[in-house]
Amino acid sequence: MTIESETGRPQAHGLQRNGPQTNEAATGPREDEPAFLTDTRASYDAIAADYAGMFRAYLEAKPLDRATLAAFAELVEGRVVEVGSGPGETTAYLDGRGVDISGIDLSPAMVALARRTFPGLRFDEGSMTALDLDDGSLGGLVAWYSVIHVPPAQRPAVYAEFHRVLAPGGYLLMGFQVGHEPVRHTEGFGHEISLDFHRLMPEQVAEQLESAGFEVRARMVREAEPGEKTPQAHLLARRLS
């Protein structure tokens, strides 16, 4: 199966200086790194330019997605980070609505591309499994179609990491495809890749977030739109004390 059929998402306010320069070719495994992180990084490094072109301005055709993001922008206060920010479209959309936001992505090529496309925003390389952020330092965190690459066994630890970096009362916004079965992509835009997409059930995600110390405030499931294969879910949660 090719990645072109996965169309749910591509994935301080104002001018910010970007962090250290990123090596776009740094696709090899890191020391003691889980295989899924190595595969995800290498796959997105390979397809970054084509992927960004396909999903450029993707929100223009998705009014319900824009509404979810706008509600988050209205509710959140303080610094926000998007994890799995990809080419930066969602980060830039929220920035345009007054959110003090920056992006973090596993793929050096995606980070470099986002920096070139949105030079007024900050994008850094990093992993949602071990965020280089202080405890309680964020008012909000966005995981817009990025947790879908995390295997089930690792997902509770990722939610715990989200809880760690959010301040009490901070908001978490997630987007994901709905379903049970994972899908593996071995080809994307003419490149050989190894990328797993995990469909998620909103009820299970909500239960795991509650176990991690969140209160689920809203959930929305919309039907698949043209070009999408599954329903899409948005979930808004808030960190308890």
Side-chain angles (χ1 to χ4, degrees), residues 63-115:
L64 293 177
D65 296 28
R66 295 198 308 271
T68 298
L69 291 164
F72 174 81
E74 185 172 340
L75 288 168
V76 75
E77 297 180 357
R79 181 188 176 196
V80 176
V81 165
E82 182 186 7
V83 294
S85 51
E89 295 284 345
T90 308
T91 306
Y93 184 86
L94 288 168
D95 171 74
R97 275 136 195 85
V99 178
D100 178 5
I101 190 168
S102 60
I104 294 174
D105 200 87
L106 187 66
S107 161
M110 283 290 193
V111 170
L113 190 153
R115 288 174 174 177

Side-chain angles (χ1 to χ4, degrees), residues 2 9 21 40 48 54 76 89 108 111 135 146 176 200 227 237-238:
T2 62
R9 195 271 287 182
Q21 292 300 304
T40 301
M54 180 177 180
V76 75
E89 295 284 345
V111 170
D135 295 357
S146 53
F176 50 90
L200 306 176
R238 196 174 192 186

Side-chain angles (χ1 to χ4, degrees), residues 143-214:
W144 198 245
Y145 294 89
S146 53
V147 170
I148 59 174
H149 299 306
V150 180
Q154 278 75 41
R155 223 167 285 144
V158 168
Y159 298 152
E161 183 70 350
F162 292 171
H163 184 274
R164 179 187 69 79
V165 300
L166 280 166
Y171 282 96
L172 167 65
L173 178 64
M174 295 178 59
F176 50 90
Q177 295 100 345
V178 176
H180 295 280
E181 298 299 324
V183 177
R184 165 153 294 197
H185 295 276
T186 57
E187 190 273 337
F189 305 101
H191 298 275
E192 183 177 341
I193 61 174
S194 178
L195 195 58
D196 289 330
F197 284 74
H198 296 273
R199 315 307 199 189
L200 306 176
M201 296 304 295
E203 298 81 4
Q204 184 181 42
V205 175
E207 181 179 327
Q208 291 180 328
L209 289 176
E210 288 167 355
S211 295
F214 288 93

Side-chain angles (χ1 to χ4, degrees), residues 28-51:
R30 312 294 170 90
E31 185 177 359
D32 299 324
E33 178 177 77
F36 82 91
L37 290 178
T38 302
D39 290 344
T40 301
R41 179 188 298 107
S43 296
Y44 277 112
D45 278 351
I47 65 173
D50 293 310
Y51 181 89

